[in-house]
Amino acid sequence: MKKMMLAFCLVILSALLLGACGSKDSGAAEGNGEVKEFTIDATNFEFDLKEIKVNKGDTVKVTLKNTEGNHAVKFDGYNQEVQGDKTISFVADKTGEFKYECSIFCGAGHSDMVGKLIVE
């Protein structure tokens, strides 16, 4: 009985390991357009980049640099958020205008930390 249980566990483990081999997951889906890279510099209470414009299908790569304070950027409509000194990427698969805003309360001017992602 123990040998059968051990053999069964080895088969399951082997299947899991083989299923993971060759997996190519970069953390973001790839679009059929170009890769567009942007850096947003955040200070208390402003983003230096107020507008990001891309085409539908482009991969959007955003780096947030916290020059002053602690901030994060959330992209409405895309369920994406980047925190200070990190980078995210996502495919712009919906057309329209989408607000992005600071998602960490940072003081009296917090509500002024907004921008617009335009996907054409």
Side-chain angles (χ1 to χ4, degrees):
M1 180 73 171
K2 288 182 183 178
K3 286 184 180 180
M4 282 182 58
M5 185 59 109
L6 179 61
F8 178 73
C9 289
L10 287 174
V11 168
I12 297 297
L13 181 61
S14 296
L16 290 172
L17 289 173
L18 287 174
C21 288
S23 174
K24 183 181 175 186
D25 183 12
S26 64
E30 292 184 24
N32 57 3
E34 299 178 30
V35 175
K36 303 281 181 86
E37 296 186 42
F38 303 91
T39 298
I40 299 174
D41 190 9
T43 58
N44 289 335
F45 306 102
E46 183 178 24
F47 293 135
D48 71 328
L49 190 58
K50 305 282 188 195
E51 187 177 281
I52 295 174
K53 193 179 268 190
V54 298
N55 294 313
K56 184 176 180 181
D58 286 348
T59 298
V60 181
K61 187 174 180 181
V62 178
T63 301
L64 176 63
K65 193 172 139 194
N66 280 339
T67 300
E68 181 182 34
N70 184 30
H71 308 284
V73 176
K74 181 178 178 188
F75 290 85
D76 291 348
Y78 279 94
N79 195 29
Q80 295 289 325
E81 181 178 57
V82 60
Q83 297 185 359
D85 303 317
K86 295 194 174 151
T87 302
I88 61 165
S89 61
F90 60 93
V91 176
D93 59 357
K94 298 174 260 191
T95 58
E97 293 186 4
F98 305 90
K99 180 170 101 174
Y100 60 85
E101 61 191 333
C102 182
S103 57
I104 297 175
F105 182 75
C106 53
H110 172 75
S111 61
D112 296 331
M113 296 188 73
V114 295
K116 188 182 340 180
L117 168 65
I118 300 169
V119 183
E120 297 178 327

